[in-house]
């Protein structure tokens, strides 16, 4: 219980303290923190390096790539703490989106749209951009401990224009609520490269067996919504996204494989911005 309170206090201080620092000072501090974590080589860093070894081209300097990836992850957290300070003009003006028309056309049809994303770039900023450009949406949040920390993240995302549904512990299971939003013509944003249940759908991902959540595909099939994979990455002065072609309506297994293939294309192009510090592939301990 004490550890949970300390964790929540740390995040609270981050949101308040980092916002008070000049942006260059805060950015330098987070880079130093990322470099220190890289040198310490804890379990998360070792897992990140192992994951990157699967997705990087042969001959890549994995030590350098892992260090850059830790800096990318630190930038994500820096921006989360400062996102409200960035302002709508910057969040929208410095966002570049490839094939944005796929998103806009699907939303205009009014039959529901699911954006499925890997843990890449800054998905919080992407959500703020989406809401600021006229598309409110619903997302699912993993329930964190302590409860006060979970509530802090829900409030943060709600302020950015997102409707947040808890993955567990809500008044009803999320699937039905999400399906209702889609049938009403709404949009969902779901992180979909990490199988929290460990009973997800088997896919081939960078040539090896992995599992990914089948929820996005199941929701699309149940409601007739369009399922669009999206990958994100950082630019020096902003952010970029790629709206991939829609997964073909077929089966949960086939559509989840479509997501995995799109994620692989985006990750291969920008491996340092894939923030995956957890196990992905089945053949690893």
């Amino acid at each position: 219980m004490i550890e949970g309170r300390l964790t929540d206090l740390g995040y609270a201080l981050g949101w308040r303290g980092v916002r008070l620092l000049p942006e260059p000072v805060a950015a330098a501090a987070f880079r130093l923190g990322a470099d220190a974590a890289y040198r310490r080589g804890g379990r998360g860093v070792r897992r990140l390096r192992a994951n990157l070894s699967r997705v990087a081209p042969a001959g890549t300097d994995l030590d350098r790539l892992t260090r850059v990836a830790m800096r990318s992850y630190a930038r994500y957290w820096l921006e989360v703490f400062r996102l409200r300070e960035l302002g709508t003009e910057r969040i929208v003006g410095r966002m570049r989106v490839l094939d944005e028309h796929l998103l806009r056309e699907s939303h205009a049809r009014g039959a529901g749209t699911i954006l499925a994303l890997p843990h890449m770039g800054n998905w919080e900023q992407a959500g703020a951009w989406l809401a600021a450009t006229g598309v409110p949406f619903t997302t699912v949040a993993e329930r964190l401990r302590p409860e006060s920390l979970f509530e802090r993240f829900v409030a943060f995302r709600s302020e950015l224009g997102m409707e947040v549904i808890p993955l567990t512990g809500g008044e009803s299971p999320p699937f039905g609520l999400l399906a209702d939003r889609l049938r009403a013509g709404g949009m969902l944003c779901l992180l979909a490269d990490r199988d929290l249940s460990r009973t997800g759908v088997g896919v081939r991902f960078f040539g090896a067996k992995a599992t990914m959540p089948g929820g996005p595909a199941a929701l699309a099939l149940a409601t007739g919504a369009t399922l669009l994979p999206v990958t994100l990455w950082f630019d020096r002065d902003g952010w970029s996204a790629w709206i991939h072609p829609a997964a073909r309506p077929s089966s949960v297994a086939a559509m989840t494989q479509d997501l995995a293939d799109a994620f692989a294309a985006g990750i291969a192009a920008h491996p340092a911005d894939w923030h995956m510090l957890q196990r992905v592939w089945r053949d690893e301990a």
Side-chain angles (χ1 to χ4, degrees):
M1 184 176 296
I2 293 176
E3 182 181 353
R5 287 200 297 267
L6 290 174
T7 299
D8 186 35
L9 177 61
Y11 278 96
L13 290 174
W15 256 302
R16 294 176 184 174
V18 174
R19 292 166 64 186
L20 297 176
L21 293 173
E23 185 171 354
V25 174
F30 272 68
R31 283 195 301 270
L32 289 173
D35 290 347
Y38 164 75
R39 289 192 297 270
R40 191 162 56 247
R43 183 171 63 180
V45 174
R46 295 195 303 272
R47 171 55 60 193
L48 176 63
R49 189 182 191 280
N51 288 341
L52 291 174
S53 72
R54 298 268 194 161
V55 306
T60 297
D61 183 340
L62 283 175
D63 290 331
R64 181 182 182 280
L65 179 59
T66 304
R67 181 179 180 182
V68 173
M70 285 301 296
R71 287 188 171 192
S72 174
Y73 190 42
R75 176 176 170 178
Y76 162 78
W77 281 110
L78 171 64
E79 291 180 354
V80 165
F81 290 140
R82 293 182 58 88
L83 199 55
R84 284 172 285 194
E85 308 302 310
L86 297 182
T88 301
E89 182 177 351
R90 181 172 172 183
I91 288 171
V92 173
R94 297 190 183 181
M95 181 70 164
R96 290 165 284 272
V97 183
L98 302 178
D99 293 327
E100 182 180 348
H101 67 95
L102 296 176
L103 184 159
R104 302 296 174 184
E105 290 167 2
S106 177
H107 184 58
R109 284 193 292 270
T113 303
I114 305 167
L115 303 180
L117 305 87
H119 288 75
M120 283 189 77
N122 190 335
W123 51 94
E124 311 283 1
Q125 177 275 334
W129 166 83
L130 188 61
T133 56
V135 185
F137 66 91
T138 302
T139 189
V140 173
E142 179 183 356
R143 188 171 288 279
L144 304 173
R145 291 288 181 264
E147 184 71 14
S148 58
L149 179 59
F150 172 73
E151 292 172 353
R152 194 180 299 279
F153 270 94
V154 169
F156 163 69
R157 288 166 177 153
S158 297
E159 286 181 20
L160 297 175
M162 312 177 194
E163 180 192 22
V164 182
I165 294 175
L167 179 62
T168 57
E171 295 182 0
S172 58
F175 190 95
L177 294 173
L178 297 175
D180 288 344
R181 300 299 186 270
L182 292 171
R183 293 188 181 103
M187 184 168 292
L188 307 183
C189 290
L190 303 174
L191 290 166
D193 61 337
R194 181 183 170 202
D195 177 21
L196 294 173
S197 69
R198 300 302 181 195
T199 58
V201 178
V203 296
R204 297 292 294 180
F205 189 51
F206 286 95
K209 292 181 180 180
T211 58
M212 291 185 180
L219 282 164
L221 290 173
T223 64
T226 300
L227 177 56
L228 292 173
V230 182
T231 52
L232 309 167
W233 62 95
F234 289 121
D235 292 324
R236 182 178 296 276
D237 65 338
W239 310 269
S240 287
W242 178 9
I243 313 297
H244 298 256
R248 298 157 295 178
S250 50
S251 66
V252 169
M255 294 175 75
T256 305
Q257 183 63 59
D258 284 347
L259 294 184
D261 293 342
F263 293 167
I267 292 167
H270 302 278
D273 290 328
W274 185 42
H275 308 144
M276 183 52 67
L277 281 69
Q278 292 82 27
R279 178 175 177 247
V280 174
W281 285 274
R282 291 180 178 178
D283 60 355
E284 294 180 331

